[in-house]
Amino acid sequence: MEITHKYDDIIMLPHHVSETRAHMPMLDRAAQFSPFAALTGYDAAVAETARLTDQKPELDDTQKERISEQLFTLQARLSEQPEAAVIYFVPDEKKAGGAYKTASGRIRKIDEHAQALIFADGTEIPFDSIFQIESEVLRMMENEG
């Protein structure tokens, strides 16, 4: 007794190739079976809501004074092109809070008018965003004092 299946009569036929239509690329074939996104932008909105931000630190007067003294020291030594690493806070453009970033390199200018520290590569950091400054020049000054 031979077992027959519903499509036995066509299963071994060659695959049809249209003479009038181009073959569809595999990527496009897969796309036609992808789920329909009824809410455009929903996934992006969920991802944005889930993205975490840090809160801007509120420095006390002692910390503010220390940073001010460090900037003054670096300003006095600008002719030596001091190198520094600065941790600073960048506010987020889309939601409350922001992120800590670190910039490092040679300091080109400490602009009191613009209230910003400027690195040789052009990176500008507002004084009120600075959280911490590390520099060999500052360590040497602290060791002397």
Side-chain angles (χ1 to χ4, degrees):
M1 175 173 188
E2 190 176 320
I3 300 175
T4 60
H5 292 97
K6 187 175 182 178
Y7 298 107
D8 279 349
D9 59 334
I10 64 170
I11 199 74
M12 298 306 282
L13 292 177
H15 178 74
H16 173 71
V17 177
S18 175
E19 295 175 11
T20 58
R21 296 179 188 253
H23 185 70
M24 183 184 286
M26 291 299 278
L27 187 62
D28 292 341
R29 284 183 65 77
Q32 67 183 329
F33 298 105
S34 66
F36 173 67
L39 300 172
T40 52
Y42 179 74
D43 290 338
V46 169
E48 176 61 27
T49 302
R51 188 173 54 86
L52 299 176
T53 58
D54 294 316
Q55 295 302 314
K56 183 175 182 180
E58 289 299 322
L59 303 179
D60 62 30
D61 290 339
T62 304
Q63 292 168 313
K64 289 177 186 177
E65 187 175 320
R66 177 178 166 86
I67 290 171
S68 180
E69 288 172 1
Q70 290 175 327
L71 289 170
F72 182 78
T73 301
L74 291 169
Q75 173 81 29
R77 310 287 288 271
L78 274 182
S79 62
E80 300 171 23
Q81 297 182 332
E83 287 197 29
V86 178
I87 299 173
Y88 61 106
F89 188 80
V90 178
D92 194 287
E93 294 177 3
K94 296 183 179 181
K95 60 196 286 186
Y100 290 98
K101 293 197 175 190
T102 302
S104 57
R106 296 205 177 280
I107 297 174
R108 183 178 80 210
K109 184 177 183 180
I110 296 177
D111 190 338
E112 292 187 38
H113 179 70
Q115 292 287 293
L117 181 144
I118 304 168
F119 283 96
D121 67 1
T123 303
E124 251 182 79
I125 303 172
F127 290 166
D128 63 352
S129 295
I130 296 173
F131 181 70
Q132 184 178 345
I133 303 172
E134 293 289 329
S135 174
E136 189 61 35
V137 169
L138 298 173
R139 281 191 284 279
M140 289 183 341
M141 296 296 286
E142 288 174 359
N143 289 338
E144 290 175 8

